[in-house]
Amino acid sequence: GAVVSQHPSRVICKSGTSVKIECRSLDFQATTMFWYRQFPKQSLMLMATSNEGSKATYEQGVEKDKFLINHASLTLSTLTVTSAHPEDSSFYICSARDHRGWETQYFGPGTRLLVL
Amino acid sequence: GESVGLHLPTLSVQEGDNSIINCAYSNSASDYFIWYKQESGKGPQFIIDIRSNMDKRQGQRVTVLLNKTVKHLSLQIAATQPGDSAVYFCAENMGSNYQLIWGAGTKLIIKP
């Protein structure tokens, strides 16, 4: 149980284009989903917290117009990197928290984004 | 600010030996702690958790110890195997928003 998927697993795009990453909880309902960014050999950096049906809460320094988050259902959240630039290249990981109230976050496999 | 940190960035252990990964935290209000394992190119995988009203919890080949007096958390892996090679992160939860505060990570290397 507690499986989270992400799609795509890897994406290469040209500078200036937008990329959408999907995060799905497969066998549970997720009231809250989180989006992280991770640079090589570093810890996870929280970008935003997404609650189903409401606007995402962004961490300081994360541009909400650059990283659009939609959490339309209890099993799906999407992150869109708009007008991507090479500095946006990174490993993006989502996690989901079970709606039954436990604090544990279950993570997706991550999406490797490379912007040329 | 308050954070969770790790003592050792890299830990080398002989295959078959026990591994101990340590983590220090500074917020006494934290009430929930989690250990995650992250293999290269993958997302973190939940290993074990512990609440602040406990000082020890055991799983399959893993044990987490919590010492609230010195604000220290450790993960013990018994009979370390090659598949245990990964980066291990500790994380703490201290608020109602369920956000986690992450440690820097410890890379566990298994020597044959």
Side-chain angles (χ1 to χ4, degrees):
Chain A
V3 179
V4 177
S5 70
Q6 271 184 252
H7 178 81
S9 58
R10 184 182 295 266
V11 57
I12 301 173
C13 70
K14 293 181 179 180
S15 185
T17 60
S18 294
V19 176
K20 179 186 283 189
I21 303 170
E22 293 186 348
C23 178
R24 294 180 185 271
S25 56
L26 299 185
D27 52 0
F28 67 99
Q29 293 182 319
T31 309
T32 307
M33 288 184 169
F34 303 85
W35 286 96
Y36 294 85
R37 184 173 179 176
Q38 187 178 34
F39 292 103
K41 299 183 180 180
Q42 293 189 23
S43 187
L44 282 72
M45 182 187 77
L46 179 65
M47 299 175 66
T49 301
S50 170
N51 290 299
E52 185 267 337
S54 62
K55 290 184 178 180
T57 302
Y58 290 80
E59 294 301 299
Q60 191 173 10
V62 179
E63 301 176 58
K64 61 181 180 181
D65 295 330
K66 171 80 172 172
F67 300 98
L68 300 178
I69 291 173
N70 183 279
H71 191 163
S73 76
L74 284 173
T75 59
L76 173 64
S77 176
T78 60
L79 168 68
T80 301
V81 183
T82 62
S83 187
H85 291 285
E87 57 265 31
D88 299 324
S89 299
S90 191
F91 192 50
Y92 292 88
I93 313 173
C94 73
S95 71
R97 185 181 69 84
D98 193 302
H99 79 295
R100 287 169 290 182
W102 301 111
E103 299 96 325
T104 307
Q105 292 182 28
Y106 297 97
F107 285 81
T111 296
R112 177 75 60 189
L113 171 63
L114 177 61
V115 185
L116 302 176
Chain B
E2 296 179 301
S3 63
V4 177
L6 296 176
H7 297 306
L8 298 172
T10 302
L11 176 65
S12 293
V13 176
Q14 201 74 36
E15 182 178 350
D17 287 351
N18 296 335
S19 300
I20 300 176
I21 301 172
N22 297 303
C23 181
Y25 66 96
S26 57
N27 193 329
S28 57
S30 294
D31 58 4
Y32 180 62
F33 304 87
I34 314 172
W35 280 101
Y36 287 95
K37 171 186 180 183
Q38 186 178 28
E39 296 175 87
S40 181
K42 298 182 179 180
Q45 176 187 356
F46 172 87
I47 301 175
I48 192 167
D49 58 1
I50 189 168
R51 295 191 179 278
S52 58
N53 60 353
M54 303 171 67
D55 53 22
K56 181 180 180 179
R57 191 159 188 231
Q58 287 185 292
Q60 188 176 15
R61 269 201 318 120
V62 295
T63 301
V64 56
L65 299 178
L66 176 62
N67 186 330
K68 295 182 287 293
T69 302
V70 295
K71 297 176 187 171
H72 185 266
L73 189 71
S74 69
L75 176 70
Q76 300 179 3
I77 304 173
T80 310
Q81 303 169 359
D84 295 327
S85 293
V87 177
Y88 290 81
F89 292 98
C90 62
E92 64 176 315
N93 176 269
M94 50 168 274
S96 58
N97 61 5
Y98 302 106
Q99 290 181 359
L100 296 176
I101 299 173
W102 292 80
T106 293
K107 184 177 177 63
L108 180 63
I109 298 172
I110 312 304
K111 296 182 289 186

